[in-house]
Amino acid sequence: MGKKLIIVTTLLFFQIIFSQTIRPNIQKLVDEIQKGNRLTSEFINYEGQKSEQFELCQLLDSLATRDELIELVNHNSAAVKCARFCPFMQARYRIFKKIILDHLNDYQEIKLQSGCIGYTSVVADEFLYTIRYHLTKKDSIFIMNLDKQILEDQNSNLHYKSILIRNLQINAENRELIKKLALQKNIQKP
């Protein structure tokens, strides 16, 4: 009985140690990046000073493994999620499509600062703006399907959806969709 307990305890100990996929040095960088749930561009404020957080993100990208970066896209901090999604788009990892679909309903708020301009957004919107910026013509079918999915989602309150609605062409092809969207909007009003 005592040997079984020691074996089980040893196995549990090793399982706990080896199940940690984020290394401690990477976790320290992540802890610094997520402070204030704010994401900054390379240069900030009126003076255009270099962002310490931006440099930490670059260091993280150079030190973290692909698996660690994948795990960080699902982190509980909106700043970490958004900071790590962009490298996926730039590296053209195939997994980015799954990541964006997994985060379409991620309304976690994030504060962003680019230069001297700051604003608040949500993770899903930031992911969608990022893919729009980085995708190429060969991804157009994915984008069309994604836009259609967002437009048809009655529960979506994304700013990105508002932009899609404003840019819808008024034609026979979109007639039913526009009618459906108008009815949804009227139903939601008290």
Side-chain angles (χ1 to χ4, degrees):
M1 181 69 168
K3 285 184 180 181
K4 287 182 181 178
L5 183 60
I6 291 172
I7 291 172
V8 169
T9 306
T10 305
L11 288 173
L12 285 173
F13 175 75
F14 282 111
Q15 185 177 5
I16 290 169
I17 290 193
F18 290 113
S19 68
Q20 294 178 347
T21 54
I22 305 292
R23 293 172 290 163
N25 62 329
I26 299 299
Q27 187 59 51
K28 284 181 185 177
L29 286 171
V30 168
D31 292 342
E32 287 297 314
I33 291 169
Q34 72 179 346
K35 284 185 180 173
N37 194 34
R38 193 178 117 209
L39 190 60
T40 60
S41 63
E42 186 173 6
F43 298 101
I44 56 173
N45 299 329
Y46 293 108
E47 315 82 48
Q49 70 190 45
K50 188 90 166 171
S51 166
E52 184 180 321
Q53 185 192 45
F54 185 84
E55 290 176 349
L56 290 171
C57 288
Q58 287 186 317
L59 181 61
L60 178 64
D61 288 342
S62 68
L63 297 176
T65 65
R66 183 173 182 266
D67 289 338
E68 286 172 323
L69 291 174
I70 290 170
E71 188 168 332
L72 292 174
V73 171
N74 294 309
H75 195 272
N76 60 358
S77 165
V80 174
K81 286 180 199 178
C82 290
R84 299 310 15 108
F85 184 68
C86 195
F88 276 101
M89 292 303 304
Q90 291 169 340
R92 304 284 305 153
Y93 288 132
R94 291 188 178 163
I95 193 169
F96 81 85
K97 291 179 182 179
K98 180 187 178 333
I99 291 169
I100 190 67
L101 292 172
D102 288 347
H103 288 84
L104 276 181
N105 295 313
D106 192 339
Y107 290 94
Q108 188 177 11
E109 281 193 357
I110 179 170
K111 297 174 191 145
L112 296 117
Q113 183 177 355
S114 181
C116 59
I117 299 169
Y119 62 99
T120 301
S121 186
V122 296
V123 170
D125 275 330
E126 291 307 308
F127 279 21
L128 290 164
Y129 299 144
T130 301
I131 67 164
R132 278 297 202 169
Y133 182 77
H134 289 285
L135 290 184
T136 61
K137 286 187 180 187
K138 69 179 183 178
D139 298 306
S140 61
I141 293 172
F142 174 73
I143 289 289
M144 284 180 4
N145 290 333
L146 184 63
D147 289 352
K148 184 178 178 185
Q149 181 180 344
I150 292 167
L151 284 169
E152 292 177 352
D153 183 357
Q154 293 181 9
N155 299 317
S156 176
N157 292 319
L158 295 173
H159 183 258
Y160 184 85
K161 181 177 181 178
S162 301
I163 293 170
L164 290 175
I165 292 170
R166 272 185 264 141
N167 292 327
L168 270 176
Q169 297 292 320
I170 299 174
N171 57 31
E173 185 180 322
N174 290 331
R175 184 178 184 279
E176 287 302 313
L177 177 60
I178 292 170
K179 183 178 173 182
K180 183 179 174 182
L181 290 168
L183 289 172
Q184 283 176 10
K185 205 62 160 170
N186 287 334
I187 290 169
Q188 292 175 355
K189 287 183 181 177

